[in-house]
Amino acid sequence: MIEVKNLKKIYTGSTAPTVALDGVSFNIKEGEFVAIMGPSGSGKSTLMHIMGFLDKPTSGVYKFEGKSIDELSDDELARIRNKRMGFVFQSYNLLPRTTVFNNVKLPLIYGGFKREIEQKLVSQAIDKVQLLHRINFYPNQLSGGEQQRVAIARALVNNPSVIFADEPTGNLDSKSGKVVMSLLQDLNEDGHTIILVTHEKYTSEHAKRIIQIKDGKIISDEKVWHRRFAKDEDELIK
């Protein structure tokens, strides 16, 4: 699904150039659950932004489902990003004056769906994160954990082939974090490819594979032998 070869990203400005990625290479197959782990400033978020078509590399090759980012127009990049990718961010990125239903519906706006199909897709996504009882609530009426579950439902509504999760538990208490990780594990079991960006070893161990990055370089790429399962760690959603 994802092929990254000798990827480099250099930011230039008024000061000296900053190397964010320095020759990164790896492949991710469909259905994997991969954690990209590293400290602040290691390049992991830059890497996720490039993989999610939110940024472009300075050099190197990035192919998504066989198509190189260099061969696609801005319109094609936007279409693939909307149809094939879902995003979950640390800060939720919900519209504050919009209900749960309408926040989750956002990726469908340009899809040309009939209203009844649109309503079905949104309701199914909200049901997957067990928030149908909050469907007409606004973000300020929800806990942080519930807001992140809404963000997951929004990422899920187009049935994307890959979900990018950038520090999805960073603003949550431990119990809410376990709920979010349990949902991501469930989505992976349903066939979604999950790419998790985190600085926490504990969180990364919920994945099946960990790519460690430091100073823009990959320092290890290993299978998780003692994987954590969020559902086994605590009583989650009641």
Side-chain angles (χ1 to χ4, degrees), residues 86-102:
F87 297 89
V88 181
F89 297 99
Q90 180 176 346
S91 56
Y92 323 135
N93 289 3
L94 303 179
L95 298 180
R97 298 181 181 179
T98 304
T99 63
V100 167
F101 181 92
N102 286 323

Side-chain angles (χ1 to χ4, degrees), residues 100-147:
V100 167
F101 181 92
N102 286 323
N103 263 291
V104 174
K105 187 177 76 171
L106 285 172
L108 302 179
I109 288 177
Y110 301 107
F113 295 99
K114 292 183 179 180
R115 184 170 179 175
E116 58 268 26
I117 299 297
E118 190 177 77
Q119 289 181 327
K120 181 180 179 181
L121 291 172
V122 174
S123 296
Q124 286 176 339
I126 296 172
D127 187 35
K128 275 214 167 185
V129 300
Q130 301 189 26
L131 282 178
L132 280 177
H133 60 299
R134 299 280 197 261
I135 197 166
N136 293 315
F137 281 44
Y138 291 85
N140 65 1
Q141 296 175 300
L142 304 175
S143 68
E146 287 172 333
Q147 290 185 60

Side-chain angles (χ1 to χ4, degrees), residues 209-220:
R209 172 184 168 197
I210 299 175
I211 297 173
Q212 288 199 60
I213 187 168
K214 184 179 181 182
D215 298 329
K217 296 177 181 290
I218 291 177
I219 59 173
S220 68

Side-chain angles (χ1 to χ4, degrees), residues 1 30 64-65 83-85 159-163 191-193:
M1 173 180 284
E30 184 177 359
F64 179 77
E65 295 184 330
K83 299 289 187 183
R84 307 295 292 156
M85 300 175 176
N159 193 32
S161 55
V162 60
I163 294 175
H192 294 281
T193 305

Side-chain angles (χ1 to χ4, degrees), residues 49-102:
H49 289 159
I50 291 172
M51 288 193 292
F53 294 169
L54 300 171
D55 199 355
K56 290 188 177 182
T58 303
S59 64
V61 174
Y62 172 45
K63 291 183 179 180
F64 179 77
E65 295 184 330
K67 295 180 180 178
S68 172
I69 191 172
D70 294 328
E71 299 170 358
L72 300 169
S73 67
D74 288 344
D75 286 346
E76 289 173 317
L77 291 173
R79 180 182 56 79
I80 294 171
R81 187 168 56 237
N82 179 256
K83 299 289 187 183
R84 307 295 292 156
M85 300 175 176
F87 297 89
V88 181
F89 297 99
Q90 180 176 346
S91 56
Y92 323 135
N93 289 3
L94 303 179
L95 298 180
R97 298 181 181 179
T98 304
T99 63
V100 167
F101 181 92
N102 286 323

Side-chain angles (χ1 to χ4, degrees), residues 178-206:
K178 288 172 184 175
V179 170
V180 166
M181 293 311 302
S182 177
L183 286 170
L184 292 176
Q185 288 179 326
D186 287 346
L187 292 175
N188 179 240
E189 293 304 313
D190 287 343
H192 294 281
T193 305
I194 308 291
I195 299 177
L196 167 72
V197 171
T198 182
H199 67 279
E200 297 175 334
K201 185 174 187 293
Y202 171 84
T203 301
S204 71
E205 289 173 347
H206 289 81

